[in-house]
Amino acid sequence: MCLLAICVTSAWSARHHLGKDQLQTERPYNIAHRGSNGEYPEETAAAYLRAIKEGADFIETDIISTKDGHLICFHDVTLNATTDVAQHPEFADRIATYEVEGSVVTGWFTVDFTLAELKTLRARQRFSYRDQIYNGKFEIITFEEYIQIALNASRIVGIYPEIKSPVFINKHVKWPNNKKQEDIFVETLLKYGYTGKYLSQKWRQQPIFIQSFAPSSLIYAAMLTDSPKIFLIDDITVRTQDTNQSYAEITSDEYLNYIGQYVVGIGPWKDTIVPPNITTNRLTTPSHLVERAHAHNLQVHPYTYRNENQYLHFDFNQDPYQEYDYWINVIGVDGLFTDFTGSLHNYQEWTSPLDSEIASATTLVNEIFTIIQASKKHR
């Protein structure tokens, strides 16, 4: 009976430590892409709090900078699409034109605003077909505010910050002592205690993945912290912003072997793993990228899973649960970036509930106990 108590307690303790439920590592990670941005304006406190409530394993964000060097949670280098900056006449003269990752872009850029100025803006929903009721209600948050949301959650919630557009940011923002965006990024993480290799005890207490589309940023960050990193991979037509490498180059076995020295996984766009036929909107033959990445001991966290019909290929009959089933059980990915955290969480709870680990442990120990009792009778 003591053995039974010890084993059941161990199974329970695996996910319950120091008063907080620990991060699950038994099933693919539910990564809340910019928070629960299918419901709330992206990268706002409300979107992250909603994602945590809905069961996210990790809350994901993009980290760029203000003019005065503060790191903020914001996806675009321009404010046009997801804030009310156009309704602020005091900023009308801030429109500028810059080259961004090979394209000429005109708009209001975060690097031309101080943090105090950005705090006067309010977030807007990016997509017109999503709920607009929360427009104008939430402010832009800083990297530190985002971290505090995760740390103050009632359970252990991981963070998944991206070193976003580092070539552009480092060109337009200057920090003291010749520091770069990557330096300030890592310093902020270390300030709040984020460190430790993947699945280490320290990592389990404060889980994190550092992500970037820029391989040189990840390699640089690897010299500053041992926290696990994910190399993001764009469409097959897009070259890396910092090293000007093609999709074919960065997905070759030779390169996966090289980058695997610095990262624990890759984050490709899902349509490059299983390309759709643009005429029929049905999936074609899967590539071998997931299989090859796994052979290099790399995880695969594709992006982005969305509930709306225009994002669901006809193979899934307009059912996001069928899409999750395909990617988890057929393709075998290790994590999923989703705009709808609750949908993925519900699917996983129905198909692979975490409490089953405790039930399985109890069953096993009962069997052992029966064997022990039977052996005593024959002594």
Side-chain angles (χ1 to χ4, degrees):
M1 292 305 294
C2 290
L3 177 62
L4 173 63
I6 292 170
C7 289
V8 172
T9 299
S10 297
W12 176 259
S13 297
R15 295 195 62 246
H16 301 266
H17 177 66
L18 299 178
K20 283 191 175 186
D21 284 3
Q22 293 226 324
L23 178 76
Q24 70 80 23
T25 56
E26 292 79 32
R27 65 191 188 192
Y29 295 125
N30 183 336
I31 305 162
H33 181 238
R34 309 180 203 170
S36 186
N37 86 88
E39 300 174 75
Y40 287 87
E42 64 187 48
E43 314 218 21
T44 59
Y48 291 121
L49 290 170
R50 177 65 172 169
I52 291 170
K53 183 177 181 180
E54 291 180 328
D57 295 317
F58 289 84
I59 53 174
E60 187 266 353
T61 195
D62 307 274
I63 301 301
I64 58 176
S65 181
T66 66
K67 179 180 181 179
D68 48 347
H70 292 279
L71 298 185
I72 59 171
C73 298
F74 208 77
H75 180 268
D76 302 351
V77 293
T78 58
L79 300 160
N80 308 27
T82 57
T83 76
D84 62 356
V85 66
Q87 280 69 59
H88 285 255
E90 68 273 26
F91 299 137
D93 63 349
R94 300 288 182 91
I95 295 178
T97 300
Y98 295 128
E99 181 179 334
V100 183
E101 296 175 26
S103 299
V104 177
V105 179
T106 297
W108 288 274
F109 289 80
T110 67
V111 295
D112 291 329
F113 288 74
T114 65
L115 178 60
E117 290 172 331
L118 289 178
K119 284 290 190 179
T120 68
L121 306 181
R122 292 295 176 266
R124 299 180 58 85
Q125 174 57 253
R126 179 182 294 271
F127 300 114
S128 61
Y129 46 81
R130 291 182 176 171
D131 195 350
Q132 305 294 306
I133 195 173
Y134 300 109
N135 288 349
K137 296 184 181 296
F138 308 116
E139 65 180 23
I140 294 170
I141 64 173
T142 65
F143 191 12
E144 295 196 45
E145 289 168 336
Y146 156 84
I147 289 172
Q148 290 165 2
I149 289 171
L151 292 179
N152 288 323
S154 61
R155 58 185 173 84
I156 293 180
V157 176
I159 62 172
Y160 208 125
E162 177 183 347
I163 303 172
K164 186 73 173 182
S165 302
V167 175
F168 176 83
I169 295 297
N170 284 322
K171 179 179 179 180
H172 292 277
V173 181
K174 302 302 177 185
W175 285 274
N177 302 318
N178 293 319
K179 289 185 177 180
K180 305 191 298 181
Q181 178 188 9
E182 295 88 341
D183 293 300
I184 308 303
F185 179 99
V186 173
E187 286 175 7
T188 303
L189 294 174
L190 295 176
K191 173 182 175 181
Y192 285 92
Y194 284 94
T195 186
K197 294 182 179 180
Y198 181 58
L199 294 181
S200 67
Q201 183 178 359
K202 182 60 179 174
W203 183 88
R204 289 178 183 273
Q205 292 171 355
Q206 291 184 218
I208 180 175
F209 288 109
I210 296 170
Q211 55 171 332
S212 185
F213 285 97
S216 61
S217 291
L218 294 171
I219 293 169
Y220 184 84
M223 297 187 293
L224 307 175
T225 178
D226 60 353
S227 291
K229 300 156 194 74
I230 301 290
F231 177 39
L232 300 175
I233 300 175
D234 213 319
D235 193 7
I236 59 174
T237 61
V238 179
R239 303 182 75 86
T240 53
Q241 61 185 270
D242 53 338
T243 57
N244 194 34
Q245 291 171 284
S246 69
Y247 177 87
E249 289 178 274
I250 61 176
T251 59
S252 67
D253 284 316
E254 180 181 7
Y255 193 79
L256 292 177
N257 185 58
Y258 166 73
I259 201 66
Q261 301 172 77
Y262 307 99
V263 305
V264 299
I266 58 173
W269 181 31
K270 63 186 178 70
D271 280 2
T272 64
I273 299 174
V274 188
N277 183 308
I278 60 174
T279 301
T280 65
N281 193 32
R282 292 187 177 276
L283 298 178
T284 61
T285 303
S287 72
H288 296 291
L289 181 59
V290 173
E291 179 184 353
R292 291 193 297 107
H294 286 166
H296 289 277
N297 200 31
L298 294 172
Q299 294 191 40
V300 182
H301 300 173
Y303 64 91
T304 303
Y305 297 85
R306 299 180 167 112
N307 284 10
E308 289 95 355
N309 285 350
Q310 60 262 50
Y311 298 112
L312 291 168
H313 302 303
F314 289 153
D315 308 71
F316 306 123
N317 303 300
Q318 278 64 62
D319 183 349
Y321 298 137
Q322 289 190 30
E323 182 178 38
Y324 290 138
D325 181 71
Y326 174 79
W327 283 92
I328 292 172
N329 296 313
V330 177
I331 301 301
V333 299
D334 308 289
L336 302 91
F337 285 69
T338 177
D339 285 2
F340 293 89
T341 310
S343 294
L344 177 53
H345 181 71
N346 288 339
Y347 168 79
Q348 290 186 299
E349 284 295 284
W350 292 334
T351 58
S352 52
L354 294 174
D355 285 346
S356 62
E357 67 180 353
I358 299 173
S360 297
T362 303
T363 299
L364 177 61
V365 172
N366 281 333
E367 291 175 356
I368 294 172
F369 182 72
T370 300
I371 294 170
I372 292 173
Q373 290 300 104
S375 66
K376 287 180 178 179
K377 292 179 181 179
H378 296 287
R379 287 179 181 174

